[in-house]
Amino acid sequence: MQPAVKGHLLAFLAVVIWGMTFISSKVLVGLLDPYWYIVIRFIIAWGFLFLLSPRPMKLLPKKQEGRVILCGIAGVTLYYIFQNVALVYGTASNTGVITASAPLFTALILWIFGRKVRLSPLFFLGFVLCIGGVASISFAGGGSGIHLLGDAFALASAIAWGVYCILIAGTESYGLSELQMTRKVFFWGTLITIPPTLLLGEPVPVETFTQGGLTFWGNLLFVALCSSALCYLFWGKATNLIGAVTTSVYLYLIPVVSVIGSALILGEPVTMVTVAAIGAIFVGLFLSQKGNRPV
């Protein structure tokens, strides 16, 4: 298989799984405390990656290890705390749609800090369309304070993922494979999530694990092994094969998967406003991609 074709297939598979993950996570945050859900999910994912590559890893030089720690904070701790709180107060479909705006924030952050990207008026037109689409699906749910709170956390989650994408793009020269780098990111992200979990999280009853049944364990293993461990590996490999910009385009498919899956599995309504909002976000993302050029 040609490397480019392999890269596209891996990126596509990752976003399909990630789109379905919002549905599993919506189920799990109804059974687990959102903070403990992150810790348990990533301990299982890290253990799985360790079994795939059990060789111990030494600390990198201070500056490099510090960047990996920041990747863990942005891509695991903040991204998933914000996402899980969004799922508690909002819907799986809205969270999936809003999170898909992450590439916009990646480009915007790079532009603000003068990091080799040029943004044309097309980018800002696309940005306005995307934010308008996000606002539309938020207020389509009735505009209640709780609903808007969930959507606000989903937007914060998208920003955190944008920061993670910028940070992880600078680690390919550290001499680690995609699997080893993912292990390191998961280790630091999970470790840093534990203190706020102990402070803010609610204890998980033992009965949750012993009596959860297929619904609990099936969803938990899906998000831990497939969405977390394997998809991070797929995404890292795809980025190396076809580049970060091309790979990021596949993120635009996540809301389609999450909205369709949420309607079929969770019975969440799909209104004309939601469809129009998704259309606006897609057009906005397309325009922003055209208006985002390296310098």
Side-chain angles (χ1 to χ4, degrees):
M1 184 182 294
Q2 293 293 326
V5 175
K6 184 178 181 181
H8 284 287
L9 287 175
L10 288 173
F12 177 76
L13 182 59
V15 299
V16 170
I17 294 174
W18 277 336
M20 296 300 293
T21 299
F22 291 102
I23 301 164
S24 290
S25 292
K26 179 68 177 179
V27 173
L28 288 167
V29 295
L31 302 171
L32 283 171
D33 173 82
Y35 295 95
W36 280 111
Y37 167 45
I38 300 171
V39 173
I40 295 168
R41 169 180 175 173
F42 281 95
I43 286 176
I44 295 173
W46 183 89
F48 177 66
L49 293 175
F50 182 81
L51 290 176
L52 293 179
S53 177
R55 182 172 66 87
M57 287 185 290
K58 297 180 180 180
L59 289 174
L60 295 168
K62 184 182 296 185
K63 187 175 180 179
Q64 293 181 350
E65 194 72 36
R67 190 182 185 103
V68 177
I69 292 172
L70 290 176
C71 286
I73 293 172
V76 175
T77 304
L78 295 180
Y79 176 68
Y80 283 101
I81 286 178
F82 292 154
Q83 183 185 112
N84 290 343
V85 174
L87 288 166
V88 170
Y89 295 110
T91 64
S93 55
N94 277 25
T95 304
V97 170
I98 294 171
T99 303
S101 63
L104 287 172
F105 293 103
T106 303
L108 192 60
I109 293 167
L110 286 171
W111 177 71
I112 290 172
F113 289 97
R115 293 277 300 280
K116 296 183 179 180
V117 65
R118 180 186 297 123
L119 302 183
S120 75
L122 272 181
F123 174 88
F124 293 101
L125 175 60
F127 187 84
V128 170
L129 280 173
C130 283
I131 296 303
V134 168
S136 296
I137 62 170
S138 297
F139 285 99
S144 68
I146 293 296
H147 185 82
L148 292 177
L149 179 63
D151 292 340
F153 273 102
L155 195 59
S157 179
I159 295 171
W161 185 259
V163 173
Y164 166 76
C165 289
I166 293 169
L167 292 170
I168 199 68
T171 63
E172 65 272 6
S173 62
Y174 289 4
L176 299 177
S177 67
E178 290 91 353
L179 192 154
Q180 292 169 333
M181 180 57 68
T182 304
R183 261 183 58 191
K184 265 189 171 292
V185 170
F186 281 12
F187 172 79
W188 286 116
T190 305
L191 186 66
I192 293 166
T193 306
I194 290 175
T197 299
L198 294 173
L199 182 64
L200 302 172
E202 296 290 335
V204 181
V206 176
E207 291 78 13
T208 302
F209 300 97
T210 58
Q211 301 176 13
L214 183 61
T215 298
F216 174 78
W217 283 106
N219 282 290
L220 182 60
L221 292 176
F222 171 73
V223 298
L225 303 182
C226 297
S227 176
S228 299
L230 292 180
C231 279
Y232 272 73
L233 287 177
F234 293 164
W235 196 254
K237 186 65 175 179
T239 300
N240 287 338
L241 290 173
I242 59 178
V245 174
T246 303
T247 307
S248 68
V249 174
Y250 280 92
L251 289 172
Y252 307 161
L253 294 176
I254 290 179
V256 176
V257 177
S258 63
V259 168
I260 294 174
S262 299
L264 294 177
I265 298 173
L266 298 179
E268 293 182 358
V270 180
T271 66
M272 289 305 298
V273 174
T274 302
V275 173
I278 292 174
I281 290 172
F282 271 124
V283 172
L285 290 169
F286 174 78
L287 291 176
S288 70
Q289 191 73 19
K290 292 292 184 181
N292 170 14
R293 291 288 182 271
V295 296

